[in-house]
Amino acid sequence: MYIVYDRDQREVRYSDGTIGGPGVDNPFYFLEGKICLILLESIVSSDDGIVSAKFRPTWLVRVSDMQVVPGSEVDDHYWTLSYSWSQSGEMIERSDGEYDRIDESKHKIVTYERHIAITKTKVKSKWWSHRQRATELQKTPLIMNVNFERIIQRICKDFDIKYIWYDQMCIDQDDHDAKVREIRQMHLIYKNSRCTLALIPELEVTADLGYRANVDIIPESQWSKRIWTLEEAYMSKSILFVGRNVHIWSKRVSTVFSSKTKACTALWFARTRTSSKAHDRIFALVNIFPELQDRITFSYRQSLLDLMVNFYGLLAESDISIMLFGAPIDSDADDDIMAARQREARLLPSWTGANGVHIPQNQFESDSSKVQYLCKVAGGSMYLSSRFILARIETADSVERPDFLDNPIISSFYTEDGLPRRFGGGKCIAEYGAMWCLTFVTTTSASEDDYNRRTKEYGLQATHFLPLREEDDKDVNTLLKPNLNGGFLSLTEDCSDCIILSDLSFHGETYRCHPVLKRDNDCFKSIGVCLLEKNLSCNFHENPKQSFLVR
């Protein structure tokens, strides 16, 4: 695939894609095709102009002549490039699994020849006549076909970038050992760069959009489908998105993900990302969690399954939020990506969440500073120690409807299951014997859409609900005429009973979130999460701490 770079660039100033005008209000204005930098120091995090000597990549590209030079010899700032390989030319897979890039110099740079057009118009009246002269600044586009290196050089010169790092030139793709060494330090390369240049050729301003940029295309772009670009975004101090004829500054992108990345959040972002090689998916994720690197073997020759299990096990021991996953509302990934995830799910242990979707955007914080000490992973087996709550599943037809639902006016505000329509329906947690056992009821088609509006912010499907009835200022968990909803389950598979791990508690704005297990022969499976209202007054029994073997 080949790309087009138009030097008559505009800058997006607002989230709706509105572009800024020339002058001081716009950090970039264009004069005869050349970008004049006005406020670069105030936009890019530059530590007051002091060049850090703590880290330099092994190799850097000198933009002036596009020559690769030792990073140790560079005293100036350097930038990094983030892009999809598929847009640098035609990618041809070799028999050994590596790729050759065929670049036939079909990339295009659009520049402009500016000139003044003079028009003369004869104006006549009954008593006099004269010629009127007008001038207009016009520009004629000039298109040059170039290779990928030349288009990168042009962009860098336009944005006053003197040194840049990018993998195709700074990593010897045919040297396995050299490639592995560079992959190990990818997080350092992007973390220490002055700024990252993200190439998104699908981004543009057109008259059809009212001269606004199509910013909504970024999540659908090729850049947003690659796992390595996710790692690069995580590590970058700031990002400059460059499109066909427009660019966007996104300062401190890493703060979107927080300084301490949660496992569940990173895996949510990674769910729709792919890589040319399956090993690269794990290597990119390891660079997001560099503290795990010393216990990971970086080699394309090792077993992929062993690499995945080792990484996910180390991640689980350091951050149990890996178990915060549930049933997705719908899939926003294409068929190839979904097929890859399904293949992983068949191979990986249940506690990795490969069968579901993780909770996004750091929605929950851990309630326990010692939660990491409750988990130990060996191979594909997880050993957990936690207190727990028993939960039993009932069907929707087991719920007795409240009498007031016979009133047609009042009933219009409730579902067929007897729950307020603002909550919807699901599976219920009921009284079980002499102890309280949370019982969830399967959602019905009539209430499912209504209820999922409440849970959509977590990206999860509500598969079951917790029915309550208010009695004497307390919420009673019951199947007998419930009129309240105290929470829900989001499970990747059905069951008749399950276990809620109460010690593994994560709190959000509205709910407390707990991982859910079900028995599977002589061990347990991780099948989703339970979300309970934070102010729930329902009294349920919590069982003493027990060890669980989860596979």
Side-chain angles (χ1 to χ4, degrees), residues 435-447:
M435 67 178 66
W436 289 102
C437 173
L438 301 181
T439 304
F440 290 80
V441 179
T442 307
T443 55
T444 63
S445 58
S447 59

Side-chain angles (χ1 to χ4, degrees), residues 317-332:
E317 288 183 342
S318 65
D319 185 358
I320 201 64
S321 75
I322 191 175
M323 296 182 73
L324 298 187
F325 67 88
I329 292 179
D330 50 37
S331 172
D332 51 3

Side-chain angles (χ1 to χ4, degrees), residues 55 123 126 140 163 180 240 247 267 300 312 319 444 454 488 505 507:
F55 177 84
V123 181
K126 183 177 181 180
T140 302
Y163 292 91
V180 166
L240 170 63
H247 57 272
L267 294 176
Y300 290 95
Y312 285 118
D319 185 358
T444 63
R454 186 174 173 86
F488 69 90
S505 178
H507 63 88

Side-chain angles (χ1 to χ4, degrees), residues 3-9 33 107-114 139-146 151 154 158 244-245:
I3 63 177
V4 177
Y5 171 66
D6 190 330
R7 295 188 66 199
D8 194 8
Q9 287 270 313
H107 300 284
K108 299 181 186 298
I109 296 176
V110 182
T111 188
Y112 294 88
E113 182 180 81
R114 287 170 167 79
K139 58 183 182 179
T140 302
L142 302 175
I143 300 175
M144 297 178 289
N145 288 329
V146 297
I151 207 168
R154 182 68 269 163
D158 284 350
R244 177 186 178 119
N245 59 359

Side-chain angles (χ1 to χ4, degrees), residues 50-247:
I50 299 174
V51 180
S52 172
K54 292 181 179 179
F55 177 84
R56 283 291 180 272
T58 307
W59 302 101
L60 287 169
V61 176
R62 186 172 55 213
V63 172
S64 60
D65 56 6
M66 294 304 284
Q67 293 299 306
V68 178
V69 298
S72 58
E73 298 179 2
V74 176
D75 294 328
D76 205 345
H77 292 287
Y78 75 91
W79 286 49
T80 42
L81 180 66
S82 181
Y83 67 107
S84 172
W85 270 48
S86 64
Q87 294 177 327
S88 64
E90 300 174 21
M91 307 306 298
I92 308 298
E93 186 175 5
R94 302 188 320 220
S95 58
D96 60 358
E98 297 290 342
Y99 284 81
D100 288 326
R101 177 170 64 95
I102 307 301
D103 189 342
E104 298 181 347
S105 296
K106 294 182 180 179
H107 300 284
K108 299 181 186 298
I109 296 176
V110 182
T111 188
Y112 294 88
E113 182 180 81
R114 287 170 167 79
H115 59 275
I116 297 176
I118 301 175
T119 58
K120 295 181 179 180
T121 306
K122 187 175 182 179
V123 181
K124 297 180 63 176
S125 72
K126 183 177 181 180
W127 299 279
W128 53 267
S129 67
H130 73 279
R131 292 185 178 276
Q132 197 172 53
R133 176 173 172 164
T135 61
E136 181 183 1
L137 181 63
Q138 295 182 345
K139 58 183 182 179
T140 302
L142 302 175
I143 300 175
M144 297 178 289
N145 288 329
V146 297
N147 60 22
F148 187 66
E149 286 67 35
R150 294 285 81 79
I151 207 168
I152 296 303
Q153 183 184 40
R154 182 68 269 163
I155 294 173
C156 288
K157 286 185 175 181
D158 284 350
F159 286 92
D160 198 30
I161 301 170
K162 294 179 173 58
Y163 292 91
I164 192 165
W165 185 97
Y166 68 102
D167 50 6
Q168 287 194 36
M169 289 196 69
C170 297
I171 298 179
D172 186 347
Q173 301 296 326
D174 294 321
D175 186 333
H176 177 273
D177 294 338
K179 186 175 182 179
V180 166
R181 283 196 302 270
E182 294 301 304
I183 287 176
R184 286 186 66 91
Q185 63 176 7
M186 287 284 279
H187 64 288
L188 293 173
I189 293 172
Y190 282 83
K191 183 178 181 179
N192 288 279
S193 70
R194 191 184 194 193
C195 184
T196 292
L197 171 65
L199 204 58
I200 306 184
E202 300 96 328
L203 182 66
E204 63 180 339
V205 172
T206 65
D208 294 341
L209 297 172
Y211 293 100
R212 294 184 178 185
N214 56 340
V215 292
D216 293 340
I217 200 66
I218 295 178
E220 307 299 326
S221 67
Q222 287 297 314
W223 182 85
S224 294
K225 295 179 180 179
R226 307 299 292 173
I227 190 66
W228 276 116
T229 56
L230 174 64
E231 179 270 334
E232 292 155 8
Y234 260 107
M235 293 297 120
S236 298
K237 295 175 183 177
S238 57
I239 296 182
L240 170 63
F241 296 97
V242 175
R244 177 186 178 119
N245 59 359
V246 68
H247 57 272

Side-chain angles (χ1 to χ4, degrees), residues 275-283 300 304 307-308 344:
S275 59
S276 299
K277 287 186 173 183
H279 287 72
D280 278 333
R281 179 175 178 82
I282 303 301
F283 293 154
Y300 290 95
L304 175 61
L307 174 63
M308 289 193 296
E344 286 185 2

